[in-house]
Amino acid sequence: MRVPLSWLREYVDVAETATPDDVFAALVSVGFEEEELHGFDISGPVVVGQVLSFEEEPQSNGKTIRWCQVDVAEANGGVRGIVCGASNFAVGDKVVVTLPGAVLPGPFPIAARKTYGHVSDGMIASARELGLGDEHNGILILSELGIDAPVGTDAIALLGLDDVAVDVNVTPDRGYAFSLRGIAREYAHATGADFRDPADRDFAELQPGTGRTAIVEDGAPIRGAVGATEFVTRVVRGVDPSRPTPPWMIARLTLAGMRSLGVLIDITNYVMLELGNPVHGYDLDKLDGNIVIRRAAQGEKMVTLDGQERILHAEDLLITDGSGPIGLAGVMGGGTTEMSGTTRNVLIEAATFDPITIARSARRHKLPSEASKRFERGVDPLIPFAAARRVADLMVDLAGGTLTEEGGALFAEVFIEGIDLPAGFVQGLIGVDYTDAEVTGALETIGAEVTAVGPSAGSGTGWNVIPPSWRPDLTDKWSLAEEVARIHGLDRIPSVLPTPPSGRGLTDLQQGRRRVANALAAAGLVETPAFPFTTQEQNDLHGSASGESLPGVRLANPLDGQAPFLRRSLLPGLLQIAHRNIARGLVDLAIFETGVVFLPEPGVVYGTDEVPPLGVKPSDETLAALDASIPPQARLVAALFTGHVTPRQPGRAAEEYGLSEALDAVRVIADAAGVEIDVVQGRRAALHPGRTGVLQVRDATGSVTEVGYVGELHPQVSADADLPGRAVVLELDLDGVLALAGERVVAASLSTYPAATQDVSLVVDAGIPAAEVSAALSEGAGALLESVRLVDDYRGEGVADGAKSLSFALRFRADDRTLTAAEATEAKLAGVAVATERFGAQIRD
């Protein structure tokens, strides 16, 4: 909210010596956030001048300039010669002259300069050059603004260009602060200055008259709230829309961030900023019969003030007359009844609309407006009468109209339920020893009615607090406590760190997820979270081993219509990220993501159209139905490698990422999770045949659980993803792996005794996975075997067809002694015996 200081001073006593920083500090002390300082960025000399004469001089470029003689008063150098390209002024007109040394917004310094064969000793300014509007085709003529000031008068002060505005951020719960009335009240709270409420008028003079009462026909209120509870109309006849908007109003509107659009519209905008209640004006002569407020028919159409035809929704609230819709209530008026240069009679409307209705309409039509911004946050239900009368008075004063007895009022009784505030509650919640007088004084300061209540069962004395009508955000004792803290200063709250209760913190599963992610990052991979949206084709390709069609969760309102499904795999997101990076020249990638996937079960319908209302705790049955509408979600970890693991360098060729790097990443995950992961040959539709491994975890009982896969992407899949070279990937069920890890991993102590190493080569059938042979060796060798590593897979001369020779490096170690060669050999042969029994393995000579 931009707040011009001259405007603020009308409603609260701001010291003349107060700087914008002082105003910022005061507003920050009551909970606002400081944004920016806005001004016209003009420095003088800028004065009133009078055109004495001019000569029109055609130029070779086809343009005609005027060589003018302008009187700026003796104190400013008398008569000055100025070149001007505009032609909308005449001899005798008083204009705004920027003299050498002045600086206009831009910044645009003014100096005497030679142009078109003359030395132009200054510049005659347009409204746009002064920052007062968009008009740039002609200069600003003061008589058109109703100004007749002496020649030489300081034009900066005359036009209000010396004013500044402080800009504060207004949070969604404090809609009352979207007005000068609200900001002035808060400044008074911060400084103790006297506040003058611009809406404080005798209610008798606010009565709107008769004959123009609107009708509400809301047959489908949202959550039982009728779309319009107040609708006040007044009629002003005989207005002159050609009258100029006063410079002070233009300056204030400009500083507040709004353009001047003519005196009638400027007045309605001015009152909206002043009181916080949006006001709309209709050309009375264009209205067809009475005004009716109703919900739209599904598919009904209307043209709004921006010239766009909009297809309406059944929840939209409309302002209508006999011709149909003439306004989208609380958002934007219609084009058929807008005020224009031919308007002579005006119907003024000030209303209170349902905030939820307005918020939904503004978002549905992507039509945010100054009006909807206020209505959706809740306006003061007692202000429409004052707002309508204020607009009427300004139209009489500034547009020459006459206020009639015509009008009407549709209103409902405003009932604000009291809030019980127990004694001691505020002190206990905030941690400050406020006195009872400080508690009640703060609440009365913000406009609440505070009534003491007697002792009640177990609660002691306290108060019943009725919040002011302009504070719909005050709904419970906690929000009242916050107000007390805000008014008395947040700096009084002690900075004390709470003592965390024991037994809290990350769960074992959460710690495991962090270990895996940190380990992968430490190994050189980059974490790249992706959006969880993809296509059905990608879900089918990467979501199953065979590429079969799988059920997916389709979003009702996807961000990207080409990717409307929730993912079943993390790989589609990694492929998109890889493609994006490669397109920007980052071709060597090792990336990973940990995230959830969505695995709907066949035949089950997920999602629901039944959304419980806000502000009401759902029943257990409703919560159970909502939980049932959510598909199963598993947390996976996936990685993708492409490009070069080491670049080309002197004496060494570039080395591409391959399966070895992907398998290393699998080992990193296994170590961080505390499990052993085996790799066996497998197949997947998205991966290269023969270069695909299935990842398995074997528990203490020998049961095997498949936890993921690793392999090289099929060349066609890489090409479809626009990856220029080979890519290897892995994907594991992260939570499943962590669950298989069981108890917390404890690091083993290091033995101080030396290791005994032995090698063994076993001939087995070529179809037997090496990992299973390795597991058999480990099982048979027992506790002395520290590690087993496959070092060779030979198939050729000396080995029978259909067989292969697997060579393993074995390392043995004991914790309490140095092993003898005989002990190591005995353990090795025990492992060979198990492999022989299980797979028919023979030691190769």
Side-chain angles (χ1 to χ4, degrees):
M1 175 68 188
R2 297 184 182 184
V3 185
L5 295 190
S6 66
W7 203 351
L8 181 66
R9 286 188 169 97
E10 288 190 7
Y11 312 128
V12 67
D13 293 334
V14 180
E16 290 297 330
T17 58
T19 65
D21 285 339
D22 295 333
V23 177
F24 269 135
L27 295 176
V28 168
S29 71
V30 286
F32 292 99
E33 294 181 11
E34 176 182 335
E35 292 286 340
E36 299 178 74
L37 182 66
H38 300 273
F40 288 99
D41 299 324
I42 294 178
S43 61
V46 180
V47 301
V48 174
Q50 186 170 32
V51 179
L52 301 179
S53 66
F54 60 79
E55 296 178 11
E56 294 189 342
E57 299 179 357
Q59 303 298 312
S60 59
N61 60 4
K63 183 177 181 180
T64 297
I65 61 98
R66 286 183 173 184
W67 171 238
C68 307
Q69 301 301 310
V70 184
D71 182 11
V72 294
E74 289 298 327
N76 299 311
V79 177
R80 299 202 180 213
I82 298 175
V83 173
C84 183
S87 60
N88 66 317
F89 60 93
V91 172
D93 282 342
K94 290 184 177 180
V95 294
V96 177
V97 181
T98 57
L99 300 176
V103 179
L104 297 183
F108 179 44
I110 303 300
R113 63 190 183 95
K114 187 173 182 180
T115 180
Y116 295 110
H118 302 281
V119 175
S120 184
D121 198 14
M123 186 181 76
I124 305 174
S126 68
R128 181 176 177 183
E129 289 162 339
L130 295 171
L132 285 174
D134 295 330
E135 179 58 46
H136 192 58
N137 294 327
I139 63 169
L140 185 66
I141 300 173
L142 294 179
S143 61
E144 294 180 355
L145 297 179
I147 298 175
D148 185 14
V151 171
T153 301
D154 181 5
I156 293 179
L158 181 69
L159 298 176
L161 302 179
D162 54 350
D163 200 3
V164 294
V166 294
D167 190 358
V168 292
N169 180 36
V170 177
T171 54
D173 61 329
R174 301 175 73 180
Y176 68 95
F178 275 117
S179 68
L180 267 295
R181 181 192 186 214
I183 293 294
R185 180 181 279 109
E186 290 297 337
Y187 184 85
H189 295 165
T191 62
D194 290 336
F195 168 67
R196 296 172 291 278
D197 190 349
D200 186 12
R201 300 181 63 169
D202 186 354
F203 192 70
E205 67 180 6
L206 301 181
Q207 296 304 306
T210 59
R212 295 285 178 178
T213 302
I215 301 171
V216 176
E217 297 178 351
D218 189 357
I222 298 177
R223 299 179 188 170
V226 176
T229 53
E230 292 193 55
F231 200 92
V232 179
T233 59
R234 304 203 73 134
V235 173
V236 177
R237 293 186 177 272
V239 297
D240 181 2
S242 65
R243 285 197 179 187
T245 302
W248 57 265
M249 182 176 284
I250 295 177
R252 288 179 176 180
L253 289 173
T254 302
L255 284 175
M258 304 192 76
R259 295 183 298 120
S260 176
L261 299 172
V263 65
L264 299 181
I265 298 176
D266 289 348
I267 287 171
T268 60
N269 287 336
Y270 185 85
V271 173
M272 175 183 67
L273 294 172
E274 181 180 65
L275 299 181
N277 197 137
V279 183
H280 188 70
Y282 302 89
D283 188 325
L284 181 60
D285 298 323
K286 296 178 182 178
L287 285 174
D288 181 5
N290 294 326
I291 288 180
V292 177
I293 302 102
R294 62 171 174 83
R295 300 284 172 177
Q298 187 68 38
E300 191 172 2
K301 299 179 181 180
M302 72 166 291
V303 178
T304 47
L305 282 174
D306 57 0
Q308 299 294 315
E309 182 180 73
R310 303 191 180 274
I311 300 175
L312 305 174
H313 186 276
E315 284 187 352
D316 291 332
L317 190 68
L318 300 180
I319 311 298
T320 69
D321 65 1
S323 65
I326 59 174
L328 188 57
V331 179
M332 185 173 286
T336 58
T337 58
E338 66 176 315
M339 296 184 295
S340 66
T342 61
T343 298
R344 294 295 176 266
N345 304 304
V346 178
L347 177 74
I348 301 165
E349 165 224 311
T352 302
F353 297 116
D354 172 45
I356 294 176
T357 295
I358 305 308
R360 289 187 179 182
S361 290
R363 286 157 179 74
R364 183 180 299 116
H365 297 286
K366 297 180 176 60
L367 193 60
S369 65
E370 291 292 332
S372 66
K373 181 166 64 176
R374 288 162 173 81
F375 278 127
E376 66 187 30
R377 288 165 171 79
V379 301
D380 185 352
L382 301 181
I383 206 70
F385 287 88
R389 179 58 190 260
R390 175 66 165 151
V391 170
D393 290 344
L394 287 174
M395 286 189 176
V396 171
D397 293 341
L398 305 181
T402 301
L403 179 59
T404 71
E405 294 299 321
E406 299 174 83
L410 168 72
F411 61 93
E413 181 180 356
V414 177
F415 173 75
I416 303 175
E417 186 174 358
I419 302 169
D420 289 331
L421 181 64
F425 174 79
V426 175
Q427 295 88 333
L429 182 67
I430 305 300
V432 177
D433 291 330
Y434 300 113
T435 65
D436 287 352
E438 286 179 315
V439 172
T440 58
L443 297 175
E444 289 170 347
T445 295
I446 65 172
E449 296 181 16
V450 183
T451 305
V453 296
S456 58
S459 63
T461 59
W463 304 273
N464 183 265
V465 182
I466 300 178
S469 59
W470 56 86
R471 294 297 303 272
D473 58 307
L474 302 181
T475 58
D476 49 42
K477 58 185 179 181
W478 292 275
S479 55
L480 294 178
E482 181 182 355
E483 288 299 295
V484 174
R486 187 174 67 86
I487 294 301
H488 286 299
L490 301 179
D491 56 331
R492 288 184 60 179
I493 302 175
S495 298
V496 179
L497 291 176
T499 302
S502 60
R504 303 292 178 87
L506 298 179
T507 65
D508 290 343
L509 191 60
Q510 291 170 329
Q511 291 178 3
R513 293 169 183 169
R514 289 197 177 186
R515 284 200 310 272
V516 169
N518 291 339
L520 287 172
L525 282 77
V526 178
E527 187 170 11
T528 56
F531 287 116
F533 313 122
T534 188
T535 64
Q536 181 67 54
E537 292 75 14
Q538 290 291 309
N539 267 344
D540 293 344
L541 178 63
H542 297 284
S544 69
S546 61
E548 63 186 284
S549 182
L550 297 169
V553 178
R554 186 184 183 96
L555 298 173
N557 187 23
L559 291 177
D560 183 354
Q562 296 181 342
F565 286 88
L566 292 175
R567 65 189 178 187
R568 294 185 63 99
S569 167
L570 302 181
L571 287 185
L574 291 179
L575 290 172
Q576 289 183 354
I577 291 170
H579 167 66
R580 189 178 304 114
N581 280 271
I582 290 172
R584 287 159 175 77
L586 303 175
V587 296
D588 301 326
L589 299 172
I591 57 179
F592 79 97
E593 179 184 4
T594 62
V596 296
V597 296
F598 306 85
L599 307 173
E601 299 173 357
V604 180
V605 178
Y606 295 97
T608 177
D609 294 330
E610 298 296 328
V611 179
L614 298 177
V616 179
K617 182 180 178 180
S619 65
D620 292 341
E621 294 76 12
T622 301
L623 291 175
L626 290 173
D627 287 340
S629 71
I630 301 173
Q633 300 175 38
R635 185 173 294 273
L636 308 185
V637 57
L640 181 147
F641 304 83
T642 187
H644 295 116
V645 61
T646 55
R648 178 183 176 183
Q649 50 193 299
R652 183 174 181 180
E655 182 180 350
E656 289 187 343
Y657 279 112
L659 282 172
S660 60
E661 284 72 37
L663 291 172
D664 282 342
V666 171
R667 296 186 188 100
V668 168
I669 295 171
D671 289 342
V675 298
E676 292 186 8
I677 298 179
D678 297 327
V679 185
V680 298
Q681 191 77 27
R683 293 184 63 87
R684 287 189 73 88
L687 302 187
H688 195 298
R691 300 178 187 176
T692 302
V694 174
L695 304 177
Q696 298 177 341
V697 174
R698 187 186 304 271
D699 63 18
T701 66
S703 177
V704 174
T705 302
E706 184 176 323
V707 295
Y709 59 90
V710 62
E712 180 181 328
L713 275 183
H714 193 287
Q716 187 59 51
V717 175
S718 292
D720 292 342
D722 293 326
L723 302 185
R726 182 171 62 174
V728 289
V729 298
L730 65 92
E731 187 169 47
L732 290 89
D733 179 356
L734 179 56
D735 284 350
V737 168
L738 294 171
L740 291 170
E743 297 295 330
R744 183 172 299 177
V745 178
V746 179
S749 59
L750 297 177
S751 174
T752 59
Y753 294 94
T757 59
Q758 299 226 0
D759 295 334
V760 63
S761 296
L762 300 177
V763 178
V764 296
D765 187 90
I768 298 175
E772 295 187 13
V773 178
S774 175
L777 286 172
S778 297
E779 182 181 336
L784 294 179
L785 180 64
E786 185 177 76
S787 70
V788 55
R789 181 166 55 90
L790 177 68
V791 295
D792 188 34
D793 182 338
Y794 174 73
R795 311 177 195 208
E797 186 178 351
V799 177
D801 291 341
K804 60 184 177 182
S805 173
L806 301 176
S807 298
F808 296 91
L810 309 176
R811 184 166 61 190
F812 301 91
R813 195 192 306 266
D815 293 334
D816 57 351
R817 68 189 187 280
T818 300
L819 292 177
T820 64
E823 289 177 307
T825 300
E826 182 182 355
K828 178 185 73 174
L829 293 177
V832 171
V834 173
T836 300
E837 178 184 356
R838 191 169 295 171
F839 306 113
Q842 299 294 325
I843 296 179
R844 183 184 174 201
D845 296 331

